[in-house]
């Protein structure tokens, strides 16, 4: 890959995460998540191998689904409350949908099934970026909006992720899948 293209993609990863961190508006947060997704996809598919292309396609479809749910839920909340502010989440359906979409983006259990298969098809450096840096922005959104979520639901997601990640990693013989389950457990 051309060094200029690589530098642009890596700086776009930083820009998307920074945009999401700095936003208190759902549309800007969604835009930052999308910049992150669109910057990592070429890095994932840079090795023209069928496994890498399959992993990239799976990742893109999962992330696009989660982004569509976030946009739909935040639009629904803005329609009900009259503002796009993240701290004013009064509709319980929109709040639950946003938590489910952010959990899907991060790979929290029970929405973690994509992660071991995607990491298995990538090289270790791209898998490292995917299992660490790509989770920062959605996790920051979960933390920023945690006062609007049901505490029992957040606790259940955390415990489930910890247990699934620990138990799922026990029976693995492939390093990337062990790392994927470790990432799932650490997100819990």
């Amino acid at each position: 890959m051309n060094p200029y293209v690589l530098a642009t993609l890596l700086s776009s990863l930083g820009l998307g995460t920074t945009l999401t961190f700095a936003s208190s508006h759902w549309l800007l947060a969604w835009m930052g998540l999308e910049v992150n997704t669109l910057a990592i996809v070429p890095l994932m598919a840079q090795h023209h191998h069928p496994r890498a292309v399959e992993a990239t396609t799976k990742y893109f479809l999962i992330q696009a689904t989660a982004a569509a749910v976030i946009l739909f839920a935040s639009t629904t909340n803005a329609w009900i409350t009259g503002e796009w502010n993240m701290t004013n989440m009064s509709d319980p359906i929109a709040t639950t949908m946003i938590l489910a979409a952010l959990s899907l983006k991060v790979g929290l259990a029970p929405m973690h099934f994509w992660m071991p298969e995607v990491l298995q098809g990538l090289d270790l450096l791209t898998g490292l970026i995917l299992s660490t840096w790509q989770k920062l922005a959605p996790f920051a959104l979960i933390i920023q909006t945690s006062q609007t979520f049901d505490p029992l639901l957040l606790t259940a997601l955390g415990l489930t992720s910890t247990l699934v990640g620990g138990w799922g990693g026990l029976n693995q013989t492939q390093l990337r899948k062990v790392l994927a389950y470790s990432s799932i457990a650490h997100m819990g």
Side-chain angles (χ1 to χ4, degrees), residues 16 20 29-39 60 63-64 66-68 105:
T20 303
W30 172 80
M31 198 178 312
L33 292 172
E34 288 308 296
V35 167
N36 261 357
T37 301
L38 293 177
F60 179 76
Q63 297 301 311
K105 273 196 163 297

Side-chain angles (χ1 to χ4, degrees), residues 43-44 46-47 52 119-128 176:
L43 292 174
M44 292 172 72
Q46 70 181 345
H47 301 293
L119 278 182
Q120 184 62 33
L122 301 176
D123 62 324
L124 284 176
L125 183 60
T126 309
L128 173 72
R176 290 181 185 100

Side-chain angles (χ1 to χ4, degrees), residues 1-12 43 46:
M1 181 176 281
N2 187 344
Y4 296 118
V5 172
L6 183 63
T8 302
L9 291 174
L10 291 177
S11 64
S12 294
L43 292 174
Q46 70 181 345

Side-chain angles (χ1 to χ4, degrees), residues 5-82:
V5 172
L6 183 63
T8 302
L9 291 174
L10 291 177
S11 64
S12 294
L13 281 173
L15 175 71
T17 304
T18 305
L19 183 63
T20 303
F21 280 176
S23 65
S24 62
H25 192 273
W26 274 116
L27 195 60
L28 288 175
W30 172 80
M31 198 178 312
L33 292 172
E34 288 308 296
V35 167
N36 261 357
T37 301
L38 293 177
I40 194 74
V41 166
L43 292 174
M44 292 172 72
Q46 70 181 345
H47 301 293
H48 300 290
H49 190 272
R51 292 177 75 188
V53 173
E54 179 186 354
T56 305
T57 305
K58 286 178 184 178
Y59 181 76
F60 179 76
L61 291 174
I62 290 294
Q63 297 301 311
T65 302
V69 171
I70 289 172
L71 192 60
F72 175 72
S74 61
T75 304
T76 303
N77 188 61
W79 186 24
I80 291 170
T81 63

Side-chain angles (χ1 to χ4, degrees), residues 60-123:
F60 179 76
L61 291 174
I62 290 294
Q63 297 301 311
T65 302
V69 171
I70 289 172
L71 192 60
F72 175 72
S74 61
T75 304
T76 303
N77 188 61
W79 186 24
I80 291 170
T81 63
E83 61 184 42
W84 286 84
N85 195 357
M86 279 194 260
T87 58
N88 190 12
M89 298 285 298
S90 59
D91 184 38
I93 295 173
T95 304
T96 306
M97 286 174 58
I98 284 180
L99 181 61
L102 290 173
S103 299
L104 183 63
K105 273 196 163 297
V106 169
L108 282 174
M111 292 165 274
H112 67 285
F113 294 106
W114 61 271
M115 193 158 190
E117 296 303 318
V118 168
L119 278 182
Q120 184 62 33
L122 301 176
D123 62 324

